[in-house]
Every structure is written in structure tokens, then in C-alpha cells.
Amino acid sequence: MAYTVTTALGVFLLQTNVDSLKINYMDKGSGELMVLLHGWGSNIELFENMSELLARKYHVVAPDMPGFGLSDEPKEPWRVDDYVDFVLKFLEPFAPKKVTFLGHSFGGRVIIKMASRDLPFEIEKVILVDSAGVRPKKTAAQKIRQRNYKIGRKILETAPVKALFPDALEEFRRSHGSADYNSATPVMRQTLVNTVNEDLVEYMPNMKMPVLLVWGENDDATPLSDAKLMEQLMPDAGLVTLKNCGHYSFLEQQFTFNKVLASFMEID
């Protein structure tokens, strides 16, 4: 059962439970259902401006996915399929017949995997914003760094070394990990590893619905080359590149992004 909460900013939100996890979510407007899925390390607050626009015509719902925002963390490490399962269970009370999805970064990864499932609803449209899903090819230097990391970790995990230097392993991990990895709890660290290592290219031809790809030209997290590959593989996809912005193009070029979004979603 859902119950309401109000944040310190006065934003009206809802909370519910999905498989014993407390889930925070936004619910605005009326009409056909539109679901917004945020990126890794993010939350639904970043969708505030976008949701106001979309709520003019659509019933907009956006959950803080497990492990992010005000929602509970999974009890054990998840994979992309676990997040797909979560979204489907979260949507059950809405009983939608048609859904439009928008996903930023990690949220796009979940949508791409979901679209290959046998779903209880039709996905009418998809908007992927600086989306993840293409596993980057490692350079020779990165491969060497990864190999050295594995060797160093094995040494530091041995009992004698752990006894002599109890903090060395954690310091070693931090020195080699990304900001997302270092800021995460152990469960979410393994979840990050599980998800980023899954290449979803094979699923992209299954995205047969109209797909709008919106990308920042300077995105260094999910580069523009990923978007061009998605445009080639998805049967009905079109790419819009936003100038002078990076991985958060929908915030960095908010005015232009909203114009593109309103046109695709036919909002006056």
C-alpha cells in the first residue's frame, strides 16, 4: 500500500513496498502511463523539471530504484534482470496496457533488457538519454591495469597479509575503483560490477518501438559512439545530439532537451 511523504524541499512523493523493500517514487498527472528511470548513483529529484512538462499530458511515475535515493538497498547484489523484475513488480498496481519509458544512463540499460521480455503491457515509445548498455572495449593499458589489480588483490586477500595490514585491501580497492564504486556499499559495489559487465548489444534489435536517443556530444561516461551504434541496431531509432554538454544532457541543456522531448511526445 502506498503512503505519502513530503521532502524538505516540499516535493510531494509517495512510498510503497516491493518485495519487502521500501520504494520512494514520484507520481504526477493523468493519462497514459510514462515511467522515468534514473541513472546509477542518481535519484528521481533530477526528473523534477522534466516530469512537470510530461505531466501536462501523461501519468508520470518515477521510482527511486533499489539502492538509490530514498529507496531501500537490495539485500544482496543484483543484476540487470533483477532491476527489470523490480520495475515490472512496481508497475503491477497501475495495471497499464501501454507504457512509454524514459531512461537515463543505467535506467536505459534496464529498459533495453526489459524490451526483450514477454511483458504484460505494450511499450509504446522509448526515450534513451545518454544510456548505458554497450560494454566499452578495454584498451591495452586498461587490460594491464585490470590484470595488475587482480594480482594485487589476491596478494592482499591472503591471511598473513590481512593480519599484518588489515586496511590495505580496502585502500587498494579505493585507489583502483571509480567514484561510483568507491562511494557504494559492498552490496551495491557488486551490483555495479554485475551490471556494467553485461553487454546489451544483442538485445538492441528487439527495440522495435519508436526510440528517441538523446545524447550529449561530450559524454565521456557513455560516449556518442554508443548512441550511433544503438541507432544502427534499433529498427526505429533516431538520434538527437545536444551540443556543449556531457552525460547529464537533460540537465545541462534543459531548455533544448525539453523542446525535443515535447516534440517526440506530442506535448503542446
Short mmCIF file of all heavy atoms in Angstrom, two decimals, residues 9 11 13 26 28 36-52 62-64 69 102 104-105 247-252 254 257-258:
data_model
loop_
_atom_site.label_atom_id
_atom_site.label_comp_id
_atom_site.label_asym_id
_atom_site.label_seq_id
_atom_site.Cartn_x
_atom_site.Cartn_y
_atom_site.Cartn_z
N LEU A 9 12.32 19.81 0.59
CA LEU A 9 12.10 20.81 -0.47
C LEU A 9 10.62 21.02 -0.76
O LEU A 9 10.27 21.82 -1.61
CB LEU A 9 12.82 20.35 -1.75
CG LEU A 9 14.33 20.22 -1.66
CD1 LEU A 9 14.89 19.65 -2.96
CD2 LEU A 9 14.99 21.56 -1.35
N VAL A 11 8.65 18.72 -2.01
CA VAL A 11 8.23 17.90 -3.15
C VAL A 11 7.34 16.77 -2.66
O VAL A 11 7.68 16.05 -1.74
CB VAL A 11 9.46 17.33 -3.88
CG1 VAL A 11 9.03 16.46 -5.06
CG2 VAL A 11 10.36 18.47 -4.37
N LEU A 13 5.84 13.29 -2.65
CA LEU A 13 6.24 11.98 -3.13
C LEU A 13 5.40 10.90 -2.48
O LEU A 13 4.61 11.15 -1.58
CB LEU A 13 7.73 11.73 -2.81
CG LEU A 13 8.72 12.72 -3.38
CD1 LEU A 13 10.11 12.45 -2.82
CD2 LEU A 13 8.76 12.64 -4.90
N MET A 26 7.76 9.14 -7.43
CA MET A 26 7.03 10.34 -7.82
C MET A 26 5.84 9.93 -8.68
O MET A 26 5.94 9.01 -9.49
CB MET A 26 7.97 11.26 -8.62
CG MET A 26 7.34 12.53 -9.16
SD MET A 26 8.47 13.34 -10.36
CE MET A 26 9.93 13.58 -9.35
N LYS A 28 2.71 11.89 -10.90
CA LYS A 28 2.12 13.16 -11.31
C LYS A 28 1.26 12.97 -12.55
O LYS A 28 1.54 12.12 -13.39
CB LYS A 28 3.21 14.18 -11.66
CG LYS A 28 4.10 14.62 -10.52
CD LYS A 28 5.09 15.65 -11.00
CE LYS A 28 5.98 16.12 -9.87
NZ LYS A 28 6.94 17.15 -10.34
N LEU A 36 9.76 6.99 -15.74
CA LEU A 36 11.09 7.56 -15.83
C LEU A 36 12.03 6.75 -14.93
O LEU A 36 11.75 6.57 -13.74
CB LEU A 36 11.10 9.02 -15.40
CG LEU A 36 9.99 9.93 -15.93
CD1 LEU A 36 10.20 11.37 -15.43
CD2 LEU A 36 9.94 9.90 -17.45
N LEU A 37 13.15 6.29 -15.48
CA LEU A 37 14.13 5.51 -14.72
C LEU A 37 15.46 6.26 -14.71
O LEU A 37 16.03 6.54 -15.76
CB LEU A 37 14.31 4.12 -15.33
CG LEU A 37 13.05 3.24 -15.38
CD1 LEU A 37 13.37 1.88 -16.00
CD2 LEU A 37 12.45 3.06 -13.98
N HIS A 38 15.95 6.54 -13.52
CA HIS A 38 17.16 7.37 -13.36
C HIS A 38 18.44 6.55 -13.54
O HIS A 38 18.43 5.32 -13.66
CB HIS A 38 17.16 8.03 -11.98
CG HIS A 38 17.18 7.03 -10.84
ND1 HIS A 38 18.30 6.33 -10.49
CD2 HIS A 38 16.19 6.62 -9.99
CE1 HIS A 38 18.03 5.54 -9.46
NE2 HIS A 38 16.76 5.68 -9.16
N GLY A 39 19.56 7.27 -13.53
CA GLY A 39 20.87 6.64 -13.72
C GLY A 39 21.49 6.16 -12.43
O GLY A 39 20.97 6.39 -11.33
N TRP A 40 22.64 5.51 -12.57
CA TRP A 40 23.37 4.99 -11.41
C TRP A 40 23.82 6.15 -10.52
O TRP A 40 24.32 7.16 -10.99
CB TRP A 40 24.59 4.19 -11.88
CG TRP A 40 25.28 3.53 -10.70
CD1 TRP A 40 26.22 4.07 -9.87
CD2 TRP A 40 25.01 2.21 -10.21
NE1 TRP A 40 26.56 3.18 -8.90
CE2 TRP A 40 25.84 2.02 -9.08
CE3 TRP A 40 24.17 1.18 -10.62
CZ2 TRP A 40 25.85 0.83 -8.35
CZ3 TRP A 40 24.17 0.00 -9.90
CH2 TRP A 40 25.00 -0.17 -8.78
N GLY A 41 23.63 5.96 -9.21
CA GLY A 41 24.03 6.98 -8.25
C GLY A 41 23.15 8.20 -8.22
O GLY A 41 23.43 9.17 -7.52
N SER A 42 22.05 8.16 -8.97
CA SER A 42 21.16 9.32 -9.09
C SER A 42 19.85 9.03 -8.34
O SER A 42 19.74 8.07 -7.58
CB SER A 42 20.90 9.61 -10.56
OG SER A 42 20.14 10.78 -10.71
N ASN A 43 18.86 9.86 -8.56
CA ASN A 43 17.54 9.68 -7.93
C ASN A 43 16.51 10.50 -8.70
O ASN A 43 16.84 11.22 -9.64
CB ASN A 43 17.58 10.07 -6.45
CG ASN A 43 17.97 11.52 -6.26
OD1 ASN A 43 17.24 12.44 -6.62
ND2 ASN A 43 19.16 11.75 -5.70
N ILE A 44 15.27 10.39 -8.28
CA ILE A 44 14.18 10.99 -9.06
C ILE A 44 14.11 12.52 -8.95
O ILE A 44 13.41 13.15 -9.75
CB ILE A 44 12.82 10.39 -8.65
CG1 ILE A 44 12.54 10.62 -7.16
CG2 ILE A 44 12.78 8.91 -8.99
CD1 ILE A 44 11.18 10.10 -6.71
N GLU A 45 14.84 13.12 -8.01
CA GLU A 45 14.80 14.58 -7.90
C GLU A 45 15.29 15.26 -9.18
O GLU A 45 14.85 16.36 -9.52
CB GLU A 45 15.63 15.04 -6.70
CG GLU A 45 15.00 14.70 -5.36
CD GLU A 45 15.77 15.29 -4.19
OE1 GLU A 45 16.65 16.15 -4.44
OE2 GLU A 45 15.49 14.91 -3.05
N LEU A 46 16.19 14.59 -9.90
CA LEU A 46 16.71 15.18 -11.13
C LEU A 46 15.66 15.23 -12.24
O LEU A 46 15.84 15.93 -13.23
CB LEU A 46 17.93 14.39 -11.63
CG LEU A 46 19.13 14.35 -10.70
CD1 LEU A 46 20.33 13.70 -11.41
CD2 LEU A 46 19.53 15.73 -10.20
N PHE A 47 14.57 14.49 -12.07
CA PHE A 47 13.49 14.47 -13.07
C PHE A 47 12.40 15.51 -12.78
O PHE A 47 11.40 15.54 -13.48
CB PHE A 47 12.84 13.09 -13.10
CG PHE A 47 13.68 12.02 -13.75
CD1 PHE A 47 13.65 10.72 -13.26
CD2 PHE A 47 14.48 12.29 -14.83
CE1 PHE A 47 14.41 9.71 -13.85
CE2 PHE A 47 15.24 11.30 -15.44
CZ PHE A 47 15.21 10.02 -14.94
N GLU A 48 12.59 16.35 -11.78
CA GLU A 48 11.52 17.26 -11.35
C GLU A 48 11.04 18.15 -12.49
O GLU A 48 9.84 18.24 -12.78
CB GLU A 48 12.00 18.12 -10.18
CG GLU A 48 10.96 19.09 -9.64
CD GLU A 48 9.74 18.41 -9.04
OE1 GLU A 48 9.87 17.24 -8.62
OE2 GLU A 48 8.68 19.05 -8.99
N ASN A 49 11.95 18.81 -13.18
CA ASN A 49 11.56 19.72 -14.27
C ASN A 49 10.93 18.95 -15.42
O ASN A 49 9.88 19.34 -15.96
CB ASN A 49 12.78 20.50 -14.75
CG ASN A 49 12.47 21.44 -15.90
OD1 ASN A 49 12.51 21.04 -17.06
ND2 ASN A 49 12.13 22.67 -15.58
N MET A 50 11.56 17.85 -15.81
CA MET A 50 11.06 17.04 -16.91
C MET A 50 9.67 16.49 -16.62
O MET A 50 8.80 16.46 -17.50
CB MET A 50 12.02 15.87 -17.15
CG MET A 50 11.70 15.00 -18.34
SD MET A 50 12.63 13.44 -18.29
CE MET A 50 14.31 14.02 -18.14
N SER A 51 9.44 16.07 -15.38
CA SER A 51 8.15 15.48 -15.03
C SER A 51 7.02 16.50 -15.08
O SER A 51 5.88 16.17 -15.42
CB SER A 51 8.22 14.84 -13.63
OG SER A 51 8.44 15.82 -12.63
N GLU A 52 7.33 17.76 -14.78
CA GLU A 52 6.31 18.81 -14.88
C GLU A 52 5.85 18.97 -16.32
O GLU A 52 4.66 19.15 -16.60
CB GLU A 52 6.87 20.13 -14.34
CG GLU A 52 7.11 20.16 -12.84
CD GLU A 52 5.82 20.10 -12.06
OE1 GLU A 52 4.76 20.50 -12.60
OE2 GLU A 52 5.85 19.65 -10.89
N ALA A 62 7.91 7.84 -11.44
CA ALA A 62 9.37 7.67 -11.43
C ALA A 62 9.80 7.13 -10.07
O ALA A 62 9.68 7.83 -9.07
CB ALA A 62 10.06 9.00 -11.71
N PRO A 63 10.29 5.89 -10.01
CA PRO A 63 10.75 5.34 -8.73
C PRO A 63 12.23 5.60 -8.49
O PRO A 63 13.04 5.61 -9.42
CB PRO A 63 10.50 3.84 -8.90
CG PRO A 63 10.73 3.60 -10.37
CD PRO A 63 10.26 4.87 -11.07
N ASP A 64 12.59 5.82 -7.22
CA ASP A 64 13.98 5.67 -6.82
C ASP A 64 14.26 4.17 -6.84
O ASP A 64 13.68 3.41 -6.05
CB ASP A 64 14.20 6.19 -5.40
CG ASP A 64 14.43 7.69 -5.33
OD1 ASP A 64 14.88 8.27 -6.34
OD2 ASP A 64 14.19 8.27 -4.26
N GLY A 69 18.59 6.99 -3.92
CA GLY A 69 17.61 7.94 -3.39
C GLY A 69 17.13 7.53 -2.01
O GLY A 69 17.92 7.17 -1.13
N LEU A 102 11.24 6.34 -20.26
CA LEU A 102 12.40 7.18 -20.45
C LEU A 102 13.47 6.74 -19.46
O LEU A 102 13.18 6.60 -18.26
CB LEU A 102 12.07 8.66 -20.23
CG LEU A 102 13.22 9.66 -20.43
CD1 LEU A 102 12.69 11.00 -20.96
CD2 LEU A 102 14.01 9.91 -19.14
N HIS A 104 17.59 7.32 -18.21
CA HIS A 104 18.89 7.98 -18.29
C HIS A 104 19.96 7.01 -17.82
O HIS A 104 19.83 6.38 -16.78
CB HIS A 104 18.92 9.24 -17.41
CG HIS A 104 20.29 9.85 -17.30
ND1 HIS A 104 20.99 9.92 -16.13
CD2 HIS A 104 21.10 10.41 -18.26
CE1 HIS A 104 22.16 10.49 -16.34
NE2 HIS A 104 22.25 10.81 -17.62
N SER A 105 21.03 6.87 -18.60
CA SER A 105 22.20 6.08 -18.21
C SER A 105 21.80 4.66 -17.79
O SER A 105 21.31 3.89 -18.61
CB SER A 105 22.95 6.81 -17.10
OG SER A 105 24.23 6.26 -16.89
N HIS A 247 27.26 13.88 -19.88
CA HIS A 247 26.44 12.72 -19.55
C HIS A 247 25.06 13.09 -19.00
O HIS A 247 24.14 12.28 -19.05
CB HIS A 247 27.19 11.85 -18.53
CG HIS A 247 26.58 10.52 -18.29
ND1 HIS A 247 26.31 9.61 -19.30
CD2 HIS A 247 26.13 9.92 -17.14
CE1 HIS A 247 25.76 8.52 -18.80
NE2 HIS A 247 25.64 8.69 -17.50
N TYR A 248 24.91 14.30 -18.49
CA TYR A 248 23.60 14.74 -17.97
C TYR A 248 23.02 15.79 -18.92
O TYR A 248 22.66 16.89 -18.53
CB TYR A 248 23.74 15.29 -16.56
CG TYR A 248 23.96 14.20 -15.53
CD1 TYR A 248 25.22 13.68 -15.30
CD2 TYR A 248 22.89 13.67 -14.82
CE1 TYR A 248 25.42 12.66 -14.38
CE2 TYR A 248 23.07 12.67 -13.88
CZ TYR A 248 24.35 12.16 -13.67
OH TYR A 248 24.54 11.16 -12.75
N SER A 249 22.88 15.41 -20.17
CA SER A 249 22.43 16.35 -21.20
C SER A 249 21.06 16.94 -20.88
O SER A 249 20.79 18.09 -21.21
CB SER A 249 22.41 15.66 -22.56
OG SER A 249 21.53 14.54 -22.57
N PHE A 250 20.19 16.15 -20.24
CA PHE A 250 18.84 16.65 -19.96
C PHE A 250 18.84 17.75 -18.91
O PHE A 250 17.85 18.50 -18.78
CB PHE A 250 17.92 15.49 -19.53
CG PHE A 250 18.20 14.90 -18.18
CD1 PHE A 250 17.43 15.21 -17.08
CD2 PHE A 250 19.23 13.98 -18.02
CE1 PHE A 250 17.67 14.65 -15.85
CE2 PHE A 250 19.47 13.39 -16.80
CZ PHE A 250 18.70 13.74 -15.70
N LEU A 251 19.92 17.89 -18.14
CA LEU A 251 20.05 18.97 -17.18
C LEU A 251 20.93 20.10 -17.74
O LEU A 251 20.63 21.27 -17.55
CB LEU A 251 20.67 18.46 -15.88
CG LEU A 251 19.85 17.43 -15.10
CD1 LEU A 251 20.64 16.95 -13.89
CD2 LEU A 251 18.52 18.03 -14.64
N GLU A 252 22.00 19.73 -18.43
CA GLU A 252 22.96 20.71 -18.92
C GLU A 252 22.37 21.56 -20.07
O GLU A 252 22.74 22.72 -20.22
CB GLU A 252 24.23 20.02 -19.38
CG GLU A 252 24.97 19.31 -18.25
CD GLU A 252 26.12 18.46 -18.78
OE1 GLU A 252 27.08 19.06 -19.33
OE2 GLU A 252 26.07 17.22 -18.66
N GLN A 254 18.83 21.86 -20.62
CA GLN A 254 17.45 21.57 -20.23
C GLN A 254 16.42 22.15 -21.19
O GLN A 254 15.47 21.46 -21.59
CB GLN A 254 17.20 22.09 -18.81
CG GLN A 254 15.89 21.63 -18.20
CD GLN A 254 15.80 22.05 -16.74
OE1 GLN A 254 15.32 23.14 -16.44
NE2 GLN A 254 16.27 21.20 -15.86
N PHE A 257 16.60 20.22 -24.51
CA PHE A 257 16.14 18.86 -24.27
C PHE A 257 14.61 18.81 -24.15
O PHE A 257 13.95 17.95 -24.74
CB PHE A 257 16.77 18.28 -22.99
CG PHE A 257 16.25 16.91 -22.64
CD1 PHE A 257 16.81 15.77 -23.21
CD2 PHE A 257 15.18 16.76 -21.76
CE1 PHE A 257 16.32 14.51 -22.90
CE2 PHE A 257 14.69 15.50 -21.45
CZ PHE A 257 15.26 14.37 -22.02
N ASN A 258 14.05 19.72 -23.37
CA ASN A 258 12.60 19.73 -23.19
C ASN A 258 11.86 19.99 -24.50
O ASN A 258 10.77 19.45 -24.73
CB ASN A 258 12.20 20.77 -22.14
CG ASN A 258 12.48 20.29 -20.72
OD1 ASN A 258 12.85 19.14 -20.49
ND2 ASN A 258 12.32 21.19 -19.75
#
